Amino acid sequence: MGLARCIATAAALLLFLLISSPVMVASQQIGRFLWLSDLHYDPLYGQVGASGEYGVRAGCSSEDAAREPEGRAGCDSPLSLIESAVVAARDTLPAGEADFVLVTGDMARHGMDLLDESEAWDMLRDIFDAIAQLLQRTFPRTSIIFCLGNNDAIDDYYLDIADPKILGVAAGSNIKTSFVSTAETEMFRSGGYFARSIGGSDKVKVLVLNTVIYSVNHAPRATSNDPLGQLTWVESELTKAKANGGHVMIVGHVPPTIGSYRKSQFWQDRYLDQYLALIDEYADVVSAQLFGHLHSDEFRVLSDEAPPVLMTSSITPVFGGNPSFRVVEYDKDKGGVTDYATYYWDLYDDATSGWQKLYSFRQAYGISNMTSSSMQAVVESIRLGGYALDTFLSNVRVNAPQPPCDVRCRLEWACVLNAASKTEYTQCVSVSLKESQVILVGAVAGLVAFVFVGGIVLIFYRRRKRKNFAEIAEFCLDSNADDLSLT
């Protein structure tokens, strides 16, 4: 195993040096936007009924929690944590301004269904109002783009497409003040999706998707192959963008992939297949794919041509990760992500430290851009272990403690980073483990062969040396030369 690890480390170092080589790129006009996700604001934090990792949790209701305004691992967010994140983000941005603010869903706490129904609906409206007011107050001149997540409802993943009440509730809250037109408001109210041009022109559009209806957990399950007509609308928007020489950033909550914890598939096959087909067909139009939901800092490379799927970590520390937000740099002409920096509050080592920068992606991995080819090179480096794997593991849970990662673990991670479906992941792991075993057997066979050949050479050398010694001794005795004596 030692030799195999050395070979893998050397290969990883070589690949890292290759991908970190500077590449000349065309001049780009770079903009910035703030990306927040999975805020999970709990108005009951520090009180009876507070939400935690497995529903209502006593530790989140305690007086100790109430004295921790930065939040507590295993609990949903107090408003003070979200407020401090938004203010820190504003202070991080040049001149305190962003081109836009993106919120990829799950503003509401977990366990809304554990509350009395009327209380739950009132709380949900209050949560939407509070988050919208906070962002509008902090970024009064900035476009704010909201997506809804699976927890932005009373029952998790519940959205009745025949009567989408939750969409009306959200559209009737202060979120409505973020919409820029009546058409946008009505699209959101009826389907939970809409398009927003950024930068003052139609050159780059953000398509906001309602991904809850595609989830394997969606209820009540839709029978339509295109619920709410969203996929037809997406294709229409992509077609228009292509005809006009424009580009599209696709954003949503639930990503079109598998989870890295249980390795379960997030989207139903019929919707996943249609979506991926559209992305491949319009790969020259789609410039970014941005999602939340996982509460971890991850990405996926699902296509050679289409942009990678980026997933940001959460503000809530409910699943053990540190609270975080992301400042993203992007190409203002095309909408492609060029880099991002993650900022976090360290609840584990120093909860008094405040918000600080964790890392920037390109610098951490030594890549010159964030295209699929560069990101795939990072995946291959992670597969081989070494620096890239260590970097990824230290950031995936936003500097929260992580268990050791052995050979199988890093191979599984590499497969996760390339998988849209459970089937793809399972096949990848099977092939990777077999290849790893072949490499290991080859390394062991090579070591055995080396030892065997080395042993033969050593035996030959020793025999030859004894023969030479014998000839010299015979010469010394015949010449009676005491100074050449071997004794």
Side-chain angles (χ1 to χ4, degrees):
M1 288 297 291
L3 179 60
R5 182 174 178 78
C6 289
I7 294 172
T9 301
L13 178 60
L14 176 60
L15 183 56
F16 173 74
L17 291 174
L18 288 173
I19 66 173
S20 62
S21 299
V23 176
M24 296 300 293
V25 296
S27 177
Q28 295 173 319
Q29 186 180 5
I30 301 300
R32 291 178 179 83
F33 66 88
L34 170 61
W35 186 2
L36 309 173
S37 196
D38 296 271
L39 292 73
H40 290 289
Y41 166 37
D42 183 6
L44 296 180
Y45 176 83
Q47 306 174 46
V48 174
S51 175
E53 184 174 358
Y54 302 106
V56 173
R57 183 171 175 177
C60 305
S61 305
S62 68
E63 292 182 1
D64 288 340
R67 287 192 290 267
E68 296 173 353
E70 70 280 0
R72 169 178 282 201
C75 302
D76 272 331
S77 304
L79 185 59
S80 54
L81 171 62
I82 300 170
E83 289 173 333
S84 68
V86 171
V87 171
R90 180 197 62 193
D91 295 344
T92 297
L93 290 158
E97 295 286 350
D99 292 343
F100 61 96
V101 175
L102 174 63
V103 183
T104 48
D106 273 8
M107 291 167 275
R109 56 166 261 169
H110 294 87
M112 294 292 291
D113 60 323
L114 300 176
L115 305 173
D116 175 78
E117 185 174 359
S118 61
E119 178 188 2
W121 280 113
D122 288 342
M123 180 180 288
L124 193 59
R125 292 184 184 94
D126 290 344
I127 289 172
F128 290 155
D129 285 344
I131 300 303
Q133 288 171 351
L134 170 62
L135 292 174
Q136 291 154 6
R137 184 171 65 247
T138 311
F139 297 97
R141 295 178 298 277
T142 302
S143 177
I144 302 172
I145 301 173
F146 288 99
C147 309
L148 290 185
N150 55 285
N151 283 116
D152 294 323
I154 304 304
D155 294 301
D156 198 8
Y157 293 98
Y158 187 89
L159 197 159
D160 187 349
I161 62 174
D163 181 23
K165 177 181 178 180
I166 184 58
L167 301 181
V169 170
S173 73
N174 280 337
I175 288 177
K176 67 179 180 291
T177 62
S178 68
F179 298 130
V180 298
S181 68
T182 302
E184 195 176 281
T185 304
E186 291 309 311
M187 285 195 70
F188 181 86
R189 186 189 302 275
S190 61
Y193 57 88
F194 62 93
R196 172 85 56 87
S197 296
I198 58 175
S201 72
D202 286 340
K203 184 181 294 185
V204 178
K205 271 188 176 182
V206 176
L207 299 190
V208 176
L209 302 189
N210 175 358
T211 56
V212 175
I213 57 177
Y214 300 147
S215 170
V216 295
N217 297 313
H218 173 234
R221 185 67 66 92
T223 57
S224 169
N225 284 329
D226 187 13
L228 299 173
Q230 182 170 234
L231 289 170
T232 300
W233 170 78
V234 169
E235 184 171 16
S236 173
E237 289 290 333
L238 294 175
T239 301
K240 287 189 293 185
K242 189 178 184 71
N244 297 330
H247 292 84
V248 165
M249 305 171 74
I250 294 180
V251 306
H253 181 66
V254 182
T257 182
I258 66 167
S260 55
Y261 182 62
R262 297 185 181 90
K263 313 300 190 296
S264 56
Q265 185 173 317
F266 288 151
W267 284 27
Q268 298 175 50
D269 284 330
R270 55 179 169 167
Y271 305 132
L272 180 64
D273 293 343
Q274 291 181 76
Y275 174 82
L276 294 178
L278 282 173
I279 298 302
D280 284 342
E281 182 179 354
Y282 292 92
D284 57 336
V285 174
V286 178
S287 56
Q289 301 182 81
L290 312 175
F291 297 87
H293 190 59
L294 272 75
H295 293 227
S296 51
D297 192 319
E298 300 185 33
F299 65 92
R300 301 287 187 272
V301 182
L302 306 180
S303 167
D304 294 334
E305 303 299 329
V309 177
L310 304 181
M311 292 160 286
T312 192
S313 42
S314 60
I315 286 185
T316 181
V318 68
F319 294 127
N322 279 309
S324 67
F325 62 84
R326 184 177 287 184
V327 174
V328 184
E329 295 184 354
Y330 74 106
D331 180 353
K332 297 183 75 168
D333 293 326
K334 296 183 178 180
V337 172
T338 59
D339 199 7
Y340 68 76
T342 297
Y343 295 80
Y344 78 115
W345 189 307
D346 194 340
L347 298 181
Y348 291 91
D349 292 334
D350 185 5
T352 64
S353 62
W355 294 96
Q356 55 191 304
K357 184 176 179 178
L358 177 62
Y359 82 118
S360 62
F361 194 93
R362 280 173 49 189
Q363 181 181 36
Y365 292 101
I367 56 178
S368 61
N369 58 59
M370 294 187 66
T371 60
S372 286
S373 57
S374 291
M375 300 288 274
Q376 183 58 34
V378 174
V379 174
E380 296 307 322
S381 292
I382 291 171
R383 185 191 309 276
L384 294 170
Y387 171 81
L389 176 66
D390 293 341
T391 300
F392 178 77
L393 292 177
S394 68
N395 295 325
V396 68
R397 302 293 286 173
V398 198
N399 209 38
Q402 289 290 292
C405 189
D406 58 14
V407 173
R408 184 183 181 95
C409 165
R410 60 179 169 82
L411 293 179
E412 288 179 348
W413 263 119
C415 289
V416 165
L417 299 178
N418 279 149
S421 67
K422 178 72 170 183
T423 299
E424 289 177 347
Y425 168 76
T426 303
Q427 292 174 346
C428 175
V429 170
S430 177
V431 171
S432 296
L433 288 174
K434 289 178 182 177
E435 290 176 347
S436 176
Q437 291 169 356
V438 169
I439 292 172
L440 180 59
V441 170
V444 171
L447 180 61
V448 171
F450 176 79
V451 172
F452 179 73
V453 173
I456 293 175
V457 171
L458 182 61
I459 292 171
F460 176 79
Y461 172 76
R462 286 180 173 175
R463 288 181 177 177
R464 181 62 182 252
K465 191 172 182 180
R466 283 198 296 270
K467 180 179 180 182
N468 290 341
F469 283 173
E471 291 175 350
I472 293 172
E474 182 179 356
F475 167 77
C476 293
L477 291 173
D478 289 345
S479 64
N480 291 317
D482 294 336
D483 58 332
L484 294 178
S485 173
L486 300 177
T487 60

